Amino acid sequence: NVSGNLVSAVAGPGYQSANPLYVSAANRRLTSNSPGRFAGAASEDIGYFPYVSDATVGLVGTLWTNTTLPAGTSTTTGDLTVPAGVTLTIPAGATLAFPPTDLMQSGNDTGRSELRVFGTLVAVGTAGSPITFTSTGSAASTWYGIDFQATAPAGSRLEFAVVEEAVTGVWHRSTAGATIRDVTVRNNGQAGLRFVTAPASVSNITATNNATGIQVDATGSIAIFNCLLYANGTYGVRVDFNAASVDAVGFTDIATG
């Protein structure tokens, strides 16, 4: 139900508002990356007809099996979701690009594409071959960002990467934490890196040309080491809860509030 509207009905188990990714308008069988797969109360498929073998066209939807992206540039057409129990691996030097629209019409922003991590993201580049998360355009806030969800387990790694042109580059909501180091967040419309949960630790972050370099909304301990923040529009570091402690080395443009 992409519209999300219910008339004389109550949402039951597995209800979701998202593009079901049918084969076509004439063939309403679920395809491989449909969010309707395993969504029922007994983990059955929900939708007109269950998935059999039809592949989803393009890189979009829910990756139900462990997936490794190829080298070079991969472009999504909407939200890309890594569900619990699944690992998405992105090789060094690869680029993952997001459009300014969302074919899935779901997630935190139904008008922008996002990378939603409920499982594990392994994006480990190198100093010479970083991984790039970007938009298909050239402006800040073109896509939503990388979102480590609250239930995502420990084990995600975002290292030697560039995250740019999102609303917020990286959202850290995972209570288990993710390894985030040697990452550049730049040209994002709001924050480069935003902590919604704690504890967490990041190091060697460069944040530039964001509205805010690093934003801390979490109550708890956030350790931020060996980071360079400069030329951000409003704040270098913004701490919105007094209970959060920030250990910082090498910051510029620092402000708290």
Side-chain angles (χ1 to χ4, degrees):
N1 182 7
V2 173
S3 67
N5 57 323
L6 297 171
V7 178
S8 300
V10 176
Y15 171 82
Q16 53 188 286
S17 178
N19 185 338
L21 295 177
Y22 294 137
V23 173
S24 67
N27 182 353
R28 297 189 176 184
R29 186 178 297 283
L30 301 182
T31 59
S32 56
N33 292 358
S34 170
R37 294 184 62 191
F38 314 111
S43 297
E44 75 276 20
D45 291 356
I46 59 174
Y48 271 83
F49 300 107
Y51 169 72
V52 175
S53 61
D54 299 287
T56 297
V57 176
L59 182 63
V60 68
T62 303
L63 303 174
W64 292 110
T65 59
N66 293 338
T67 301
T68 299
L69 296 186
T73 299
S74 298
T75 302
T76 71
T77 54
D79 294 342
L80 197 61
T81 299
V82 184
V86 171
T87 298
L88 170 62
T89 302
I90 304 177
T95 295
L96 181 56
F98 295 81
T101 55
D102 182 9
L103 179 67
M104 297 308 299
Q105 301 177 53
S106 63
N108 294 293
D109 189 328
T110 57
R112 293 182 176 92
S113 298
E114 55 202 88
L115 177 56
R116 307 169 70 217
V117 182
F118 296 86
T120 303
L121 172 66
V122 178
V124 180
T126 66
S129 296
I131 295 167
T132 302
F133 297 85
T134 189
S135 74
T136 57
S138 58
S141 298
T142 298
W143 61 295
Y144 185 76
I146 302 171
D147 196 337
F148 292 102
Q149 300 287 323
T151 55
S156 283
R157 299 171 62 190
L158 181 63
E159 304 175 21
F160 291 101
V162 175
V163 186
E164 62 184 10
E165 299 173 358
V167 174
T168 287
V170 181
W171 294 79
H172 184 284
R173 309 180 200 265
S174 172
T175 56
T179 298
I180 302 174
R181 67 179 186 89
D182 297 289
V183 173
T184 295
V185 285
R186 66 190 183 197
N187 304 327
N188 296 294
Q190 295 181 11
L193 175 59
R194 186 168 182 174
F195 293 97
V196 182
T197 56
S201 176
V202 297
S203 61
N204 302 324
I205 304 298
T206 298
T208 183
N209 291 318
N210 310 285
T212 297
I214 297 176
Q215 181 166 340
V216 179
D217 299 325
T219 55
S221 177
I222 305 292
I224 303 172
F225 299 102
N226 301 322
C227 299
L228 175 63
L229 314 184
Y230 66 97
N232 293 290
T234 306
Y235 301 106
V237 178
R238 176 173 175 170
V239 181
D240 282 336
F241 288 95
N242 290 332
S245 64
V246 178
D247 298 320
V249 178
F251 283 139
T252 59
D253 296 346
I254 296 178
T256 59

